[in-house]
């Protein structure tokens, strides 16, 4: 009988498919996965439940098995900003396992009924020492995230509100198809894009009137991808 408090073969297979582990020698992969899952414990949460708080000691990172989670941070004025939504198969806060202050820089909470696995910080550190290829993969992933954030800051300080929204919608379209579901509320999306909620609402209404998009609330169809692609072009980097 399978112990539901221990990660089973399905969880191991989910972790093995993570990009962090891609490219490792096939014969080594099961050993690395087993090492990372050693000491893991399940975390079940209902929508809105906090998984860890900003400033909490970062002893674990999370592997999402089912449901969705989001990481958020509150500004000095109390406004909430959602930085990212996590889906099954993704890791949350693996970078926090290496921060010198040893604390989570953001809050994570469940967006839907969630099953995740708490993976131990010390097991990740041990795995990086034992398998340098894993450490290099992790370093490459962290470097890419840093590069993406530099590009995002540059984009946010030099782009217009229509360009930011077009770039965001085209990114969703690449992943979801011509009909997209916004993972954030419109107020959260406006904060994510660095624009006013009223500006976002006006843009969507104007674009719907002109036939570029159609929909309401979180469900939208991109009717004129060529128009949005032209607006989003300046967000593309040559490498």
């Amino acid at each position: 009988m399978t112990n539901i408090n221990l990660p089973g073969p399905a969880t191991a297979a989910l972790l093995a498919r993570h990009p962090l582990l891609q490219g490792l020698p096939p014969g080594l992969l099961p050993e690395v996965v087993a090492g990372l899952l050693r000491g893991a414990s399940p975390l079940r949460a209902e929508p809105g439940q906090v998984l860890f708080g900003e400033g909490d000691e970062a002893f674990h990172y999370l592997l999402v098995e089912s449901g969705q989670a989001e990481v958020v941070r509150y500004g000095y004025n109390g406004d909430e900003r959602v930085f990212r939504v996590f889906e099954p198969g993704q890791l949350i806060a693996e970078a926090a396992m290496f921060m010198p202050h040893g604390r989570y820089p953001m809050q994570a909470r469940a967006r839907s009924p969630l099953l995740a696995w708490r993976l131990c910080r010390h097991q990740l550190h041990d795995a990086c020492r034992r398998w340098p290829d894993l450490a290099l993969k992790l370093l490459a992933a962290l470097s890419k995230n840093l590069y993406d954030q530099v590009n995002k800051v540059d984009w946010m300080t030099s782009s217009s509100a229509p360009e930011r929204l077009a770039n965001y919608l085209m990114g969703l379209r690449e992943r979801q198809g011509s009909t997209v579901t916004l993972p954030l509320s419109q107020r959260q999306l406006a904060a994510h894009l660095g624009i006013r909620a009223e500006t976002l609402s006006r843009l969507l209404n104007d674009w719907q009137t002109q036939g570029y998009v159609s929909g309401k609330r979180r469900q939208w169809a991109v009717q004129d991808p060529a128009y949005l692609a032209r607006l989003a072009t300046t967000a593309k980097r040559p490498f």
Side-chain angles (χ1 to χ4, degrees), residues 2 9 18 39 44 48 50 60 73 81-82 91 108 110 114 128 141 144 146 160 168 180 199 202 204-205 223-224:
T2 301
H18 192 275
R44 295 174 176 83
V50 173
H60 303 94
R73 182 179 252 187
R81 181 174 180 184
V82 177
L91 295 174
L114 178 83
C128 288
K144 183 181 183 304
L146 176 60
S160 65
Y168 185 84
V180 303
T199 301
R202 186 182 69 251
L204 289 172
N205 288 335
Q223 304 291 358
D224 190 345

Side-chain angles (χ1 to χ4, degrees), residues 81 148-161 163-165 167 191-195 234-235 237:
R81 181 174 180 184
D148 290 343
Q149 290 304 311
V150 169
N151 288 339
K152 184 176 180 180
V153 170
D154 183 31
W155 166 246
M156 294 288 281
T157 56
S158 61
S159 60
S160 65
E163 289 170 338
R164 296 178 205 174
L165 179 57
N167 180 59
H192 179 75
L193 296 176
I195 60 180
T234 53
R237 308 298 297 183

Side-chain angles (χ1 to χ4, degrees), residues 52-61 71 73 92-107 121 124-125 138 142 145-146 149:
F52 55 76
E54 181 180 346
D56 289 352
E57 290 192 72
F59 293 122
H60 303 94
Y61 60 113
V71 292
R73 182 179 252 187
I92 305 175
E94 69 275 21
M97 301 300 98
F98 298 91
M99 290 187 174
H101 50 61
R103 297 183 181 276
Y104 296 111
M106 299 181 191
Q107 180 190 103
R121 177 177 65 186
L124 179 59
H125 288 189
L138 183 59
L142 297 179
N145 287 340
L146 176 60
Q149 290 304 311

Side-chain angles (χ1 to χ4, degrees), residues 1-216:
M1 181 178 295
T2 301
N3 187 336
I4 61 173
N5 291 316
L6 294 175
T11 305
L14 188 67
L15 180 58
R17 292 193 295 271
H18 192 275
L20 180 62
L21 303 184
Q22 298 306 299
L24 294 178
L28 183 61
L29 186 58
E31 186 180 358
V32 174
V33 169
L36 293 176
L37 290 176
R38 191 169 296 116
S41 60
L43 173 60
R44 295 174 176 83
E46 295 302 317
Q49 183 175 334
V50 173
L51 309 178
F52 55 76
E54 181 180 346
D56 289 352
E57 290 192 72
F59 293 122
H60 303 94
Y61 60 113
L62 306 178
L63 171 66
V64 179
E65 182 158 319
S66 63
Q68 289 184 324
E70 61 190 4
V71 292
V72 302
R73 182 179 252 187
Y74 294 91
Y76 293 110
N77 59 359
D79 288 344
E80 176 186 283
R81 181 174 180 184
V82 177
F83 279 79
R84 185 175 172 186
V85 175
F86 291 84
E87 305 279 352
Q90 295 183 314
L91 295 174
I92 305 175
E94 69 275 21
M97 301 300 98
F98 298 91
M99 290 187 174
H101 50 61
R103 297 183 181 276
Y104 296 111
M106 299 181 191
Q107 180 190 103
R109 68 187 177 206
R111 286 175 61 91
S112 65
L114 178 83
L115 170 60
W117 291 89
R118 293 187 182 97
L119 307 185
C120 300
R121 177 177 65 186
H122 68 86
Q123 294 292 1
L124 179 59
H125 288 189
D126 288 346
C128 288
R129 295 186 187 99
R130 290 183 62 190
W131 300 298
D133 285 350
L134 176 64
L136 290 174
K137 290 284 289 184
L138 183 59
L139 182 59
L142 297 179
S143 297
K144 183 181 183 304
N145 287 340
L146 176 60
Y147 176 70
D148 290 343
Q149 290 304 311
V150 169
N151 288 339
K152 184 176 180 180
V153 170
D154 183 31
W155 166 246
M156 294 288 281
T157 56
S158 61
S159 60
S160 65
E163 289 170 338
R164 296 178 205 174
L165 179 57
N167 180 59
Y168 185 84
L169 291 177
M170 291 303 288
L172 287 182
R173 185 175 182 272
E174 288 179 7
R175 300 189 294 274
Q176 299 182 15
S178 58
T179 299
V180 303
T181 300
L182 301 180
L184 308 175
S185 70
Q186 289 195 18
R187 183 166 295 277
Q188 290 173 329
L189 177 56
H192 179 75
L193 296 176
I195 60 180
R196 295 173 59 85
E198 296 81 2
T199 301
L200 174 64
S201 179
R202 186 182 69 251
L203 272 174
L204 289 172
N205 288 335
D206 289 349
W207 287 359
Q208 184 154 226
T209 299
Q210 296 171 70
Y212 302 143
V213 301
S214 62
K216 60 182 180 179

